[in-house]
């Protein structure tokens, strides 16, 4: 089965026509049904994926992916030492194992035997050292290397043998494995050349047009089982409608980030939604250092004002999981024992009265740049707060204004965060000096607990320390975390093998597991 | 009456009505046009004269329709023909010269070419013959026939020349019947005289039957063989010219003649009360009965038939023969005595006026005495209106001295004292433009009183009523806007407004030229009354020499911005010294 | 107005189908916009069902699960008030500029109109967007001001043209000869005679105002991001056009009908004016 390559323009044109027709007349054409779960995979075929976003600045750089299509390409070409599985737990990848010493200051990496780069060379300790040096290069630190660079002492790390490295840290760090599992810390060969990018991933580079498409072929010697399909195309889509139409017209076999209101529609037209839990959240952010939010009772009141289920139903179209003002839901240490906070208007009023803010009047800054669920939840919040006598004035700022000079200094605003575990999240958002500490949260006890946990090698004791830290945030934090988004992607019923995945969209972009369904 | 085939035409029992109603525009029109004869069709605005004229071409304006009647031409009834049959006759056999014939000339085509094209259109002659015909046609109307003239564009001709080219083009296809609808409107008397004479000569030499439609009795008196007078859609009197002007039979004709000023003698002009009723507002019975001084009950009830008064002379009046004879000299009055003492109120010395860099008045001197009417006479472009505007404070670009009651007047109204602005009032030519259409009559007339502190509120309103009475308007018009008034009524309002300021000098700029003669007569009578009773002085600007004789004590004759002759009216008009004055008098159309 | 006055006005309107149609449409939409909030089956921000479904009243729900029909009814008031105020402002400023220029004449006229031409060279919505992007949260008065001022140069052009035809009339000269103050000449003599053409212009400007105000809402500069605003509604719901078209179509249709109404009205007035003064 060999397809001629359609231009993106054709895809859009054809997609729009057939897509519109299909939406207009559901059931008029024969649509494929979802394959039975036990259907055996078929080898061969050209698989196309529609990725959301992208533009002329698209890149194949292993350490600087920016847009969604960049990320999806990164996952095809490069692999980190460890990786997140579908449950957001760490599993080995290029490394067989990564193990710390007693005080978490030395980590031993054992490289899997016989992992091959696309150009045939076997992965060695030099390649791994080279990769870590590149990603933590102080002159050009990759996005996955920022945290690594602050703890890793590569000069004192040693190559024990071609498959073994001992990494030396400058201070105890209990979750180094989590940093090494990020897709932005992929392993590249020492002779890496960006004009002909090479990695160990399931697909090898063939062709790339920024802003339009990229083409890959199967990596035959892939260590984790070669891909079923022969070739892979990844197309950029700027427009939701065009993307969906391309899927329904059969021009692409899967798309990421399906608008949630379309979930029901596509099912009648030969495609299936792929729903995954994620740890992505769209919080309201209250600055704990300015009036009136400096009064903890005001923060508590506003947290009680929120009808979390309504937020999920209306702002996320039902595609969400309840939040409890805590982040990192997939972390083993997540404090799931804390009681679920629900809307309590009376309690909220009473707290406000005690704080002397009975007729509280605040401005909430939102922006469409916050992404799906942002402006929607802000609008809902206005109505919900009104029940408690709180006047919320909504200010919908332009993206450039919202993430401009005043970003991180809005008194009451919103933001978006992707899935992270607790310690990395705290490091970026909740301690003094954190890059994105938008709530200006700075609690000495909290900071001490987290610092202690970073050094604690015993997982059970570490979990206890982190639990105590979460209680502090649960009681006094500046975030209102009403829920976590469910990731919604979609695939054609002519393919199978995509499964829900908690880390990245579209089954973690693991197209090596996707295969066409034999036509009968 | 029978008509010789190929000679003239006969219009019988014509009725033109407004589409879809029984309201007639004209009715019972019977008229015979004979070869080589000019019939003058005279009427005031709203009389239906233009409708009757265009009906000769089988044409009715939009919104009107020819309901009845026949037009027998060369043995055929033109009005009964189809559109295709009428077309070759129109323009060829029955030609029409409109009010502004110059507008019919294509501005982008040379004169000679246009005339040749006209002949081509009618398929007359060969190429050489057409060119020769064009030259001959131009010669006939007194224009040059050389190549240089033929190569001119219409804009390179004067108004009179354009009119004559149009006349030549009307005559070139050798029509049998010619309808002329006031083709000399807007021309100076001198040019008008020439064009009229040319037309009359051509009609006679080519045996054309012509109908000359006009509002101006004086024009008709000069060129027509027979005269038809129209009133409210009917021909109320028809007869030979001499008879019509010496022994008019119909009361309306008589009243009209009484309203006309004469060049040869001063007359106390009288107007006809009221105004000509338009279609749909005409009274039953005799249509003139509500304005007629001889009215009887039967006039209101019966529609008068044509009554034969004499040879070729009929009148639609049941009282013909009962109302005595008419004498033109009845209204004569004495001219102002040149030896009367004059108490000068306004002196103009060495007045030079310019518009931008162009000087249009070059050193004019004259004066106006108390309770005296001084006329400024001249053709268009002579500067008469410009001078009046300077005195009225409407134009400020002048040098020289204008002294009013011993004090030099400022240039422009804003440079003058309140007292001066109050004492000199200006009345405009066109009452349709000089009154604010958004204000009521009461507001318009009361404003000068408020402005000059003469009266306000209730008192002002009372005075407005008085003033309206003085200009023969009832208090019913007080709260109307001007669009409800006729032209004559509007001009009376304008006069009332001027009087409201209690002025000592009225500057009247052609104030009767936009009005019908009967209305003009009454306005002139009003002014004369105001002069006598209120002692107001007037500067009366006009192009009509005959009017000057009836209204003014002194006259200044202007030509191209210079005063060529001035003096008492009787002296200037009876024994003109300047060649230009003589020419002006000679060209002025006059009734007797 | 007396009963007879009403009757005669009605009759006159009957002879002006364009004006009558425009007037009726405009009035109907205006009435809907004004009393709409009371007719709405649900509250402006009331959640009535799942987003983008046919729950709620007959037009279904919007992106938040609010009732589209109720929001259409509730959302007209702001657009109506803003565009009428902006039009009024633009007319007043424009007329003042135009009439002053026409009446003053000479170099002042020249200077004013050249400056006006410069202002005219800017696309109407551009300046508004420039300013709106610069401020955090646009207030209603700001939009009125921006839309109003963007109209002013266009109105000024028309006003000057109309006024030029009037200042040269004799009744204006007459008032000047009497020594009336310039202000009074303008107010009592010139302005009242500009009624009809300016009314037509106002109708046209209202059409543009509605378009601009809706456009500003659509581009995301609405004064209240949560409020039902016809322009903003189109933006909010446009993504789901295929799934729940009414969220977009309903406001588009009312804006469309409204502008057609005001435009017909302006046309009708212009026809009437052309006929009336001719």
């Amino acid at each position: 089965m060999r397809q001629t390559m359609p231009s993106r323009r054709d895809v859009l044109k054809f997609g729009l026509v057939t897509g519109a027709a299909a939406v207009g007349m559901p059931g008029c054409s024969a649509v494929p049904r979802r394959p039975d779960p036990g259907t055996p995979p078929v080898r061969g075929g050209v698989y196309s994926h529609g990725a959301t976003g992208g533009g002329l600045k698209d890149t194949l750089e292993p350490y600087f992916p920016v847009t969604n299509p960049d990320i999806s390409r990164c996952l095809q070409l490069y692999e980190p030492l460890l990786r997140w599985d579908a449950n957001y737990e760490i599993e080995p990848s290029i490394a067989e194992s990564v193990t710390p010493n007693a005080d978490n200051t030395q980590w031993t990496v054992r490289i899997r035997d016989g992992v091959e780069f696309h150009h045939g060379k076997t992965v060695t300790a030099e390649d791994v050292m080279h990769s870590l040096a590149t990603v933590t290069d102080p002159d050009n630190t990759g996005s996955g290397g920022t945290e690594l660079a602050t703890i890793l002492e590569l000069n004192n790390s040693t190559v024990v043998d071609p498959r073994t490295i001992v990494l030396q840290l400058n201070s105890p760090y209990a979750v180094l494995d989590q940093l090494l599992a990020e897709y932005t810390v992929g392993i590249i060969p020492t002779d890496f050349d960006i004009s002909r990018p090479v990695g160990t991933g399931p697909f090898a580079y063939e062709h790339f047009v920024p802003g339009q498409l990229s083409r890959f072929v199967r990596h035959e010697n892939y260590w984790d089982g070669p891909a079923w399909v022969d070739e892979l195309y990844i197309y950029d889509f700027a427009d939701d409608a065009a993307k969906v139409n391309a899927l329904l017209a059969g021009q692409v076999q899967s798309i990421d980030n399906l608008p949630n209101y379309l979930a029901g529609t596509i099912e009648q037209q030969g495609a299936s939604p792929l729903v995954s839990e994620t740890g992505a959240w769209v919080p309201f952010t209250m600055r704990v250092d300015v009036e009136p939010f400096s009064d903890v009772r005001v923060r508590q009141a506003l947290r009680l004002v929120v009808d979390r289920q309504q937020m999920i139903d209306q702002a996320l179209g039902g595609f969400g999981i309840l939040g409890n003002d805590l982040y990192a839901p997939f972390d083993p240490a997540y404090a799931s024992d804390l009681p679920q906070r629900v809307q309590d208007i009376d309690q909220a009023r009473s707290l406000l009265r005690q704080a002397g803010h009975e007729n509280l009047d605040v401005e909430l800054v939102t922006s469409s740049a916050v992404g799906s669920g942002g402006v929607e939840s802000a609008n809902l919040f206005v109505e919900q707060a009104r029940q408690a006598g709180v006047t919320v004035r909504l200010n919908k700022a332009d993206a450039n204004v919202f993430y401009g000079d005043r970003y991180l200094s809005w008194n009451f605003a919103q933001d978006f965060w992707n899935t992270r575990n607790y310690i990395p999240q705290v490091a970026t958002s909740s301690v003094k000096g954190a890059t994105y500490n938008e709530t200006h949260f700075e609690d000495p006890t909290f900071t001490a607990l987290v610092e202690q946990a970073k050094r604690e090698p015993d997982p059970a004791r570490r979990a206890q320390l982190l639990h105590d830290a979460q209680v502090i945030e649960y009681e006094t934090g500046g975030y209102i975390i009403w829920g976590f988004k469910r990731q919604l992607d979609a695939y054609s019923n002519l393919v199978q093998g995509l499964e829900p995945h908690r880390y990245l969209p579209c089954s973690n972009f693991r197209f090596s597991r996707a295969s066409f369904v034999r036509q009968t | 009456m029978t008509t010789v085939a190929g000679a003239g035409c006969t219009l019988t029992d014509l009725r033109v009505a407004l589409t879809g109603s029984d309201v007639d525009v004209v009715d019972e029109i019977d008229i015979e046009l004979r070869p080589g004869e000019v019939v003058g069709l005279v009427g005031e605005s709203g009389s239906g004269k233009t409708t009757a004229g265009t009906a000769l071409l089988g044409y009715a304006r939009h919104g009107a329709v020819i309901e009845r009647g026949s037009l027998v031409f060369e043995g055929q009834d033109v009005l009964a023909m189809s559109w295709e049959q009428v077309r070759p006759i129109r323009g060829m056999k029955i030609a029409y010269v409109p009010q502004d014939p110059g507008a019919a000339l294509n501005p982008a085509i040379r004169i000679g070419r246009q005339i040749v094209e006209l002949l081509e259109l009618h398929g007359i002659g060969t190429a050489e013959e057409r060119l020769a015909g064009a030259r001959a046609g131009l010669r006939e109307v007194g224009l040059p026939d050389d190549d240089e003239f033929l190569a001119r564009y219409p804009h390179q001709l004067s108004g009179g020349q354009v009119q004559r080219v149009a006349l030549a083009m009307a005559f070139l296809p050798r029509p049998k019947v010619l309808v002329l609808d006031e083709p000399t409107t807007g021309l100076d008397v001198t040019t008008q005289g020439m064009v009229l004479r040319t037309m009359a000569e051509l009609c006679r030499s080519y045996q054309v039957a012509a109908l000359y439609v006009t509002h101006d009795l004086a024009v008709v008196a000069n060129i027509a063989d027979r005269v038809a007078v129209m009133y409210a859609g009917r021909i109320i009197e028809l007869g030979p010219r001499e008879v019509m002007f010496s022994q008019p039979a119909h009361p309306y004709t008589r009243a009209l003649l009484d309203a006309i000023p004469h060049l040869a003698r001063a007359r106390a002009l009288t107007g006809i009360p009221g105004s000509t009723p338009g279609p749909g507002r005409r009274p039953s019975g005799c249509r003139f009965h509500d304005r007629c001084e001889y009215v009887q009950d039967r006039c209101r009830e019966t529609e008068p038939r044509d009554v034969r008064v004499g040879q070729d002379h009929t009148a639609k009046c049941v009282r013909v023969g009962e109302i005595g004879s008419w004498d033109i000299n009845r209204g004569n009055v004495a001219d102002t005595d040149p030896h009367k003492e004059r108490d000068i109120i306004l002196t103009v010395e060495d007045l030079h006026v310019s518009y931008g860099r162009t000087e249009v008045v070059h050193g004019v001197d004259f004066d106006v005495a108390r309770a005296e009417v001084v006329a400024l006479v001249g053709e268009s472009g002579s500067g008469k209106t410009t001078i009046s505007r300077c005195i009225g404070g409407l134009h400020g670009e002048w040098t020289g001295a204008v002294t009013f009651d011993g004090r030099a007047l400022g240039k422009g109204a804003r440079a003058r004292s309140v007292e001066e602005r109050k004492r000199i009032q200006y009345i405009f030519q066109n009452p349709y433009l000089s009154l604010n259409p958004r204000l009521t009559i009461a507001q318009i007339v009361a404003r000068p009183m408020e402005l000059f502190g003469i009266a306000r509120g209730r008192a002002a309103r009372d005075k407005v009523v008085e003033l309206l009475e003085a200009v023969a308007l009832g208090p019913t018009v007080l709260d109307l806007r001007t669009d409800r008034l006729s032209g004559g009524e509007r001009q009376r309002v304008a006069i009332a407004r001027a009087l409201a300021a209690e002025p000592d000098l009225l500057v009247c700029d052609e104030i009767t030229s936009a009005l019908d003669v009967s209305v003009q007569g009454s306005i002139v009578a009003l002014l004369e009354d105001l002069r006598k009773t209120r002692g107001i002085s007037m500067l009366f600007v006009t192009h009509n020499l005959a009017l000057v004789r009836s209204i003014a004590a002194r006259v200044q004759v202007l030509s191209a911005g210079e005063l060529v002759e001035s003096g008492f009216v009787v002296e200037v008009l009876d024994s003109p010294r300047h060649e230009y004055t003589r020419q002006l008098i000679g060209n002025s159309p006059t009734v007797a | 107005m007396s009963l007879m006055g009403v009757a005669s006005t009605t009759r006159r309107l009957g002879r002006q189908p364009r004006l009558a149609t425009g007037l009726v449409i405009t009035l109907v939409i205006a009435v809907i916009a004004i009393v709409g909030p009371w007719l709405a089956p649900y509250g402006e921000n009331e959640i009535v069902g799942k987003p983008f479904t046919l729950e709620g009243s007959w037009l279904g729900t919007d992106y938040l699960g609010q009732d589209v029909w109720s929001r259409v009814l509730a959302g007209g008031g702001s657009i109506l008030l803003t565009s009428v105020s902006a039009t009024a402002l633009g007319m007043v400023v424009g007329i003042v500029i135009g009439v002053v220029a026409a009446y003053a004449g000479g170099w002042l006229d020249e200077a004013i109109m050249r400056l006006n031409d410069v202002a005219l060279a800017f696309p109407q919505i551009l300046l508004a967007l420039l300013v709106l992007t610069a401020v955090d949260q646009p207030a209603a008065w700001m939009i009125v001001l921006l839309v109003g001022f963007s109209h002013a140069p266009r109105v000024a052009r028309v006003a000057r043209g109309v006024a030029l035809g009037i200042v040269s009339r004799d009744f204006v000269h007459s008032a000047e000869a009497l020594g009336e103050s310039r202000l009074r000449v303008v107010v009592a003599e010139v302005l009242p005679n500009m009624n009809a053409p300016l009314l037509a212009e106002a109708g046209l400007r209202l059409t543009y105002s509605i378009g601009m105000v809706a456009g500003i809402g659509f581009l995301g500069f609405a004064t209240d991001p949560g409020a039902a605003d016809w322009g903003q509604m189109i933006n909010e719901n446009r993504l789901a056009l295929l799934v729940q078209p009414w969220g977009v179509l309903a406001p588009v249709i009312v804006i469309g009908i409204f502008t057609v109404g005001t435009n017909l009205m302006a046309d009708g007035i212009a026809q009437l004016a052309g006929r009336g003064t001719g």
Side-chain angles (χ1 to χ4, degrees), chain B residues 289-358:
Chain B
H289 79 243
D290 54 346
R291 300 171 73 189
C292 181
E293 57 176 311
Y294 304 104
V295 67
Q296 287 183 340
D297 282 349
R298 56 183 167 139
C299 301
R300 297 188 181 94
E301 286 142 21
T302 51
E303 287 202 23
R305 308 270 100 209
D306 278 333
V307 178
R308 191 166 185 278
V309 185
Q311 173 73 34
D312 261 0
H313 186 187
T314 57
K316 271 194 179 70
C317 178
V318 292
R319 299 199 64 202
V320 168
E322 297 173 21
I323 53 175
S325 60
W326 179 82
D327 182 3
I328 193 171
N329 293 318
R330 199 172 63 166
N332 283 4
V333 292
D335 286 308
T336 309
D337 181 4
H339 306 292
K340 219 179 96 181
E341 189 85 354
R342 295 178 70 228
D343 176 9
I344 303 300
I345 188 168
L346 177 81
T347 317
V348 175
E349 287 164 300
D350 195 26
L351 180 68
H352 292 259
V353 193
S354 43
Y355 284 107
R357 294 200 187 132
T358 322

Side-chain angles (χ1 to χ4, degrees), chain B residues 454-583:
Chain B
I454 296 165
R456 50 181 65 247
R458 181 82 227 161
R461 200 175 164 89
D462 290 344
K463 284 202 81 132
V464 170
V465 175
E466 268 174 49
L467 286 167
L468 289 178
E469 258 167 43
V471 297
L473 286 173
T476 48
V477 300
L478 267 177
D479 296 313
L480 297 183
R481 292 201 179 148
T482 53
D483 57 356
R484 302 282 295 277
L485 304 185
S486 70
E489 287 168 329
R490 288 178 199 224
Q491 200 58 290
R492 286 166 199 271
V493 172
I495 294 169
R497 172 174 62 185
L499 293 177
E502 299 177 351
D504 294 319
L505 174 68
L506 281 183
V507 181
C508 308
D509 177 21
E510 301 247 29
I511 63 170
T512 61
S513 68
L515 307 175
D516 279 325
V517 274
S518 66
V519 181
Q520 168 178 291
S522 50
I523 296 280
V524 168
L526 168 67
L527 290 177
E528 177 64 9
D529 181 54
L530 291 173
R531 183 186 70 83
K532 280 185 190 149
T533 56
R534 305 196 179 207
I536 300 175
S537 311
M538 295 179 207
L539 183 63
F540 197 89
V541 175
T542 183
H543 66 278
N544 188 339
L545 270 178
L547 190 57
V548 168
R549 184 105 203 202
S550 286
I551 192 168
R554 287 177 63 80
V555 63
Q556 328 291 328
V557 182
L558 277 163
S559 173
E562 291 188 52
L563 216 50
V564 294
E565 187 157 3
S566 65
F568 284 94
V569 167
V570 60
E571 292 169 352
V572 173
L573 295 191
D574 285 353
S575 41
R577 269 167 294 191
H578 195 278
E579 175 54 33
Y580 179 76
T581 318
R582 272 198 284 276
Q583 196 187 328

Side-chain angles (χ1 to χ4, degrees), chain C residues 27-41 70 72-77 80:
Chain C
L27 284 180
V28 166
I29 302 280
V31 166
I32 288 177
I34 292 164
V35 305
W38 286 276
L39 299 179
S70 301
V72 166
L73 287 175
L80 185 76

Side-chain angles (χ1 to χ4, degrees), chain B residues 367-381:
Chain B
D367 51 25
V368 179
R370 266 180 227 285
E372 181 187 59
V373 177
V374 171
L376 270 180
V377 179
E379 302 186 296
S380 55

